[in-house]
Amino acid sequence: MFSPGSKARLTEKDVGRFPGDTLFDRLGRTVCRAGVLPRKELYEAWEVARRTRRLFRGGRVMDLAAGHGLLAHVLLLLDDSSPRAVALDTHLPPSAARLHEVLVDAWPRLRDRVALVTSPLDDVSLHEDDLVVASHACGALTDVVLAHAITAAARVAVLPCCHDVETCDPGPLTGWLDAALAIDVRRVAALERAGYRVWAQRIPAAVTPKNRLLLGAPSGRAPEPPSPRAETTDAAPCR
């Protein structure tokens, strides 16, 4: 069975699993040719990006704790009105450059529009027009991303993971909720206190059990609510 949540790398042998003409299938074939990306990262990036773009259009994309940086590329593919993207991490994997090269070969319009940057997150400089994203920024890194976005009054989308009660804040809610959910509820509350409108969604659990997607925008610049289809939480990965 071909599981979208597998950590196995996609390689040339998997190209035939993406036979269609959709953007997702083209992306899948391209990632397979790179031969460096775990399968789950393709599906995570796609599911986060398409839900994020239903709400947030345009702006410089800031992909923090970016890993291979695939999310930054996909967000530009889904909305060409964003001028550029930055994929930033304290330690970018060497294979991130290979993935970027293959994606630019497939979509030349991405050339010179995606920067891979090695830098501490605390050194990042954000602007209010940015779209700040982080897919599985581990533990308290998600809180760092949210804090930076709030300081800049920027739109934000995070898919948290590794909820650590030692470094994250569950507040007094663990008597009612499991610790991971309590931590994410506190994150929602922090965004609302900062004047954000918040959307709580999920990507498919088949991709990752850490599937809660948190999106926020300053209330004065919040978009209209997404369509009912956009609110679907357990839809199969879009093909």
Side-chain angles (χ1 to χ4, degrees), residues 36 64 68 79 85 89-90 103 106 133-134 140 149 168 176 210:
V36 300
L64 305 184
H68 284 92
D79 180 14
D89 209 323
T90 52
L103 289 167
V133 297
C168 303
W176 290 346
K210 304 295 185 182

Side-chain angles (χ1 to χ4, degrees), residues 5-121:
S6 170
K7 295 182 181 179
R9 277 189 301 121
L10 289 165
T11 68
E12 291 275 5
K13 294 179 181 179
D14 297 306
V15 166
R17 299 184 184 277
F18 306 94
D21 294 326
T22 65
L23 177 59
F24 178 75
D25 279 349
R26 291 173 59 202
L27 179 65
R29 292 194 296 271
T30 303
V31 168
C32 289
R33 285 193 287 272
V36 300
L37 195 76
R39 188 186 307 165
K40 71 189 297 289
E41 290 189 26
L42 167 64
Y43 286 91
E44 284 172 357
W46 178 255
E47 296 295 345
V48 170
R50 70 192 189 98
R51 285 166 174 78
T52 299
R53 281 309 195 191
R54 285 172 184 159
L55 282 171
F56 304 145
R57 311 294 289 185
R60 181 183 64 163
V61 173
M62 295 296 294
D63 183 5
L64 305 184
H68 284 92
L70 179 61
L71 180 56
H73 293 78
V74 177
L75 285 164
L76 289 193
L77 291 177
L78 289 176
D79 180 14
D80 204 40
S81 70
S82 282
R84 61 191 300 262
V86 175
L88 182 147
D89 209 323
T90 52
H91 301 288
L92 288 168
S95 50
R98 167 61 180 166
L99 179 64
H100 172 70
E101 175 187 340
V102 171
L103 289 167
V104 168
D105 284 345
W107 287 278
R109 63 187 171 90
L110 296 180
R111 190 174 304 280
D112 300 323
R113 292 174 61 197
V114 182
L116 304 180
V117 176
T118 300
S119 173
L121 264 64

Side-chain angles (χ1 to χ4, degrees), residues 192-231:
E192 290 188 323
R193 285 196 304 271
Y196 273 65
R197 180 175 177 184
V198 174
W199 294 262
Q201 299 188 13
R202 292 191 182 100
I203 71 170
V207 176
T208 174
K210 304 295 185 182
N211 66 338
R212 286 192 291 271
L213 178 62
L214 174 59
L215 306 106
S219 295
R221 295 187 291 119
E224 291 299 312
S227 67
R229 181 174 178 270
E231 296 291 351

Side-chain angles (χ1 to χ4, degrees), residues 130-154:
D130 287 341
L131 171 56
V132 182
V133 297
S135 179
H136 283 178
C138 190
L141 278 179
T142 290
D143 298 302
V144 173
V145 171
L146 290 172
H148 282 308
I150 289 170
T151 298

